[in-house]
Amino acid sequence: MHGLINRSIQNFVTDSYGRQSWVDVALNARLGFIDFEGMLMYKTPLTPRIVDAMCAVLMRPRGDMLEDLGTYLVSHPRLESVRRLLRFGGVDFEDFLHSLDDLPDRARLALPDLVLPSVELHAEGEGHFNLICEASLVGYGHVMLGVLRAMADDYGALVVLEHCGHAQGVETITIKLVETDFAEGRQFQLGATIA
Amino acid sequence: MNAPSGSSLHHNKSRHGGLTSHVLDVLCPMHLIVDAEGDVIHLGPTLRKMFAGLGVVGEPFLETFDLQRPRGVTAITDLRLAEGTKLHLVVRQPPQTALKGVVVPMDGAAGNLVVNLSFGISIMDGVRDFALSNADFAATDLAIEMLYLMEAKSAAMEASRKLNLRLQGAKTLAEEAAMTDTLTGLKNRRAMDQILTVLVEGRTPFAVMHIDLDFFKAVNDTLGHAAGDHVLQVAAGIMIEETRESDVVARVGGDEFTILLPNVSNEDTLRRVGQRIIDRLCEPIPFGEAVCRVSASIGTVWIEHGERPSIPDLLENADVALYASKHAGRACQTLYTPELRSKPHLRQPPPGRRGG
């Protein structure tokens, strides 16, 4: 598993619960070290282990925890680059939803070793969508739920999201897009990062 | 991606030639149309955004744009000749955006030209200067993907750069640790070998000083290893103090030290340095209630300008000189001369020293 994913989980715990909590998670997961390095590769089983340890140490349900992780990835100021890269996907929230199919390819374009679980958007008409998430990591759908919630805010769209459980290795999220321009979203300028 | 929007009804319906300008607005949002007189008569939606309030429409094309290549185009008739070739233009107004373009005559419209523009490599400046968004580029344009890629790659590069800096710091520390004698903080034999290799390759005169503590074994045996370690640390401190910063002091064995002295121009200097070290090492060293007494024997080889000895020969010569000092009653320094080797009883290195 790419260190970037593990390091993101570490940053989430550290920024939300403090350094000591992360140290406890790392010990509980029997990592044998404390800090992940974002640009190194780690063995795949480490990631489910830290997610399990995180739920055990912080005593929170897995779904809630992973949804918070997804929200954190998009909305924390420290991870502005993630939000920006996602915003490249589309001019409005619906456009963004359609870009999710390309998400693993876009990630690979940036970092050839970064393999994200694939997701598939099914448009059901009248603003209804299903997002099918391949869940090699149990609960990945919850991460995506958090990401979608935060991105909807970012675009200023009003949406109703629901995680519909998992079956046969996939998790499904239902999305009802109530209003695309519900609120003033956050600004996104293509050239904003160049000083 | 949304199609570029915002064109007025007038623009949508107007025809400037074979293609309606609506079609051009969608396919080439950065195109403009120039009439036979050389005046701009239409701007695509992205150019309208870039030139908002500048009154470009109705003005001569060459007054808004400075055509840098092909050179010498001063009239619109020249521009017509550049059909199909790549144009390099600069907008005359600040921020003097550089653009690439291509010009083609419009089918059917008398003398009208279409000029399609692009930011080329200055895309980053363009999107920043004009606050452009996804909607300002044609859906088929790879500009957005390129911007995405530039941003993603620079984020990844930045993360890699930070990792490299951390790894480099760790490497330096590890190398330092591998080169250092942990008891005294002096360089170890590995470090000494490396530096000696450089000195031998070089062209400047230098010296190698072998120092052996006399009576060290007695200190260890009677007062214990803690006292011995203390003596080694004090001796190390003395050698550092009595040499220059450019000299290298290494602990190469239990109570054996080697000092490399680059740029030594004469033997007197060596005699003085050696004597100072001996004098100070002969002073009693307090250790708790006890007092440790040692002295030092030194064998020194001076390599004059232009000599290129082999390292094993060099170290062996230093050993021969050191053994001569031991033989002469300790607490003294001997400078190596080939004559020392002709004294048979001196040719065997003292016990405990490695050969070569």
Side-chain angles (χ1 to χ4, degrees):
Chain A
M1 188 69 80
H2 202 286
L4 217 52
I5 291 174
N6 296 327
R7 181 68 197 203
S8 300
I9 299 176
Q10 175 184 343
N11 289 348
F12 162 65
V13 175
T14 308
D15 290 343
S16 314
Y17 300 92
R19 171 77 182 169
Q20 189 54 52
S21 296
W22 169 252
V23 173
D24 293 342
V25 170
L27 293 175
N28 186 292
R30 300 181 314 283
L31 293 181
F33 54 87
I34 301 293
D35 294 307
F36 280 107
E37 203 45 86
M39 283 291 137
L40 297 179
M41 298 295 287
Y42 294 89
K43 292 202 172 81
T44 307
L46 282 190
T47 309
R49 246 160 67 192
I50 54 176
V51 173
D52 291 344
M54 192 163 81
C55 299
V57 168
L58 301 170
M59 294 185 290
R60 294 200 53 202
R62 193 183 181 92
D64 293 1
M65 191 97 228
L66 291 175
E67 189 179 327
D68 284 357
L69 169 64
T71 305
Y72 166 86
L73 289 176
V74 179
S75 58
H76 197 276
R78 191 162 142 175
L79 286 113
E80 173 71 3
S81 56
V82 175
R83 177 188 91 90
R84 281 191 55 81
L85 292 176
L86 287 172
R87 283 287 296 250
F88 271 100
V91 285
D92 58 28
F93 189 67
E94 186 173 349
D95 203 17
F96 164 74
L97 285 178
H98 286 288
S99 77
L100 287 174
D101 287 5
D102 301 335
L103 194 61
D105 285 338
R106 280 182 174 263
R108 232 190 330 272
L109 207 56
L111 289 165
D113 298 329
L114 181 57
V115 181
L116 294 184
S118 61
V119 289
E120 226 177 86
L121 187 80
H122 293 219
E124 307 290 337
E126 295 177 356
H128 283 80
F129 302 89
N130 288 329
L131 187 69
I132 319 290
C133 310
E134 175 214 330
S136 42
L137 174 73
V138 176
Y140 184 66
H142 290 281
V143 179
M144 284 307 296
L145 192 68
V147 168
L148 291 182
R149 233 185 258 297
M151 285 307 286
D153 276 357
D154 211 87
Y155 278 106
L158 180 62
V159 292
V160 180
L161 302 165
E162 202 182 337
H163 190 285
C164 295
H166 64 101
Q168 288 151 6
V170 297
E171 299 179 21
T172 306
I173 300 171
T174 58
I175 303 159
K176 183 169 162 33
L177 181 54
V178 182
E179 212 176 321
T180 308
D181 291 319
F182 175 70
E184 182 91 355
R186 281 175 70 192
Q187 271 217 323
F188 176 67
Q189 286 186 338
L190 289 176
T193 52
I194 307 303
Chain B
M1 212 174 292
N2 275 6
S5 54
S7 7
S8 71
L9 198 62
H10 167 76
H11 282 297
N12 283 339
K13 294 289 179 198
S14 64
R15 294 178 66 88
H16 298 284
L19 288 169
T20 63
S21 63
H22 173 66
V23 171
L24 281 175
D25 281 354
V26 173
L27 295 181
C28 311
M30 286 183 69
H31 82 284
L32 57 83
I33 297 172
V34 181
D35 68 11
E37 277 72 51
D39 294 339
V40 175
I41 56 169
H42 174 81
L43 292 176
T46 302
L47 291 183
R48 279 205 293 280
K49 188 169 177 178
M50 289 168 62
F51 292 115
L54 290 178
V56 170
V57 176
E59 297 296 317
F61 173 79
L62 291 172
E63 270 181 27
T64 302
F65 297 95
D66 177 14
L67 188 58
Q68 303 204 315
R69 266 185 284 162
R71 293 180 193 287
V73 174
T74 50
I76 202 65
T77 43
D78 302 330
L79 185 62
R80 204 173 292 281
L81 296 176
E83 179 189 339
T85 61
K86 194 197 268 185
L87 311 177
H88 292 253
L89 311 108
V90 173
V91 180
R92 292 185 192 273
Q93 288 274 352
Q96 283 154 345
T97 307
L99 296 165
K100 294 211 167 74
V102 64
V103 58
V104 280
M106 255 184 138
D107 291 341
N112 283 4
L113 296 171
V114 184
V115 181
N116 193 28
L117 299 172
S118 142
F119 286 107
I121 201 72
S122 59
I123 178 87
M124 267 299 189
D125 299 327
V127 293
R128 185 197 53 212
D129 292 342
F130 303 104
L132 299 181
S133 75
N134 307 39
D136 294 314
F137 295 93
T140 46
D141 192 332
L142 288 177
I144 301 299
E145 278 75 8
M146 187 168 130
L147 291 171
Y148 163 81
L149 205 53
M150 283 162 78
E151 198 159 321
K153 285 292 178 193
S154 37
M157 281 289 282
E158 179 57 18
S160 282
R161 196 184 65 84
K162 284 182 179 153
L163 171 62
N164 283 341
L165 286 177
R166 280 197 295 276
L167 290 180
Q168 193 180 31
K171 179 168 170 271
T172 310
L173 284 180
E175 279 173 355
E176 201 111 296
M179 296 287 186
T180 307
D181 170 49
T182 45
L183 177 67
T184 59
L186 296 177
K187 296 271 189 285
N188 61 17
R189 170 168 299 183
R190 182 211 302 260
M192 193 270 295
D193 283 345
Q194 269 190 19
I195 297 163
L196 189 56
T197 310
V198 176
L199 284 177
V200 168
E201 294 289 318
R203 302 185 172 278
T204 52
F206 68 96
V208 176
M209 225 178 234
H210 269 348
I211 304 177
D212 212 277
L213 295 187
D214 305 321
F215 319 117
F216 177 75
K217 193 171 176 302
V219 172
N220 249 348
D221 290 349
T222 58
L223 297 173
H225 286 289
D229 286 352
H230 178 66
V231 167
L232 292 173
Q233 286 167 341
V234 170
I238 289 170
M239 289 178 215
I240 290 288
E241 283 165 27
E242 297 302 336
T243 52
R244 301 163 300 177
E245 209 166 306
S246 56
D247 298 333
V248 175
V249 183
R251 179 169 170 238
V252 297
D255 59 344
E256 301 156 23
F257 300 83
T258 298
I259 305 180
L260 304 179
L261 304 102
N263 289 313
V264 173
S265 52
N266 60 66
E267 293 189 348
D268 281 348
T269 312
L270 293 172
R271 282 187 219 286
R272 280 201 306 275
V273 172
Q275 195 56 52
R276 284 204 307 267
I277 290 173
I278 291 167
D279 290 348
R280 288 196 55 193
L281 282 174
C282 286
E283 292 167 12
I285 300 169
F287 179 72
E289 301 289 303
V291 171
C292 314
R293 291 176 190 279
V294 295
S295 72
S297 300
I298 304 181
T300 299
V301 183
W302 182 45
I303 303 302
E304 289 186 67
H305 180 77
E307 284 180 62
R308 298 286 289 270
S310 77
I311 292 178
D313 285 352
L314 181 56
L315 293 177
E316 195 182 301
N317 290 350
D319 274 342
V320 168
L322 173 63
Y323 191 58
S325 293
K326 291 267 184 199
H327 192 77
R330 307 175 199 274
C332 63
Q333 175 177 221
T334 308
L335 289 172
Y336 175 79
T337 55
E339 293 75 58
L340 289 176
R341 285 190 176 265
S342 61
K343 299 178 179 172
H345 60 282
L346 289 181
R347 290 182 62 176
Q348 201 185 353
R353 282 208 81 94
R354 76 266 175 271

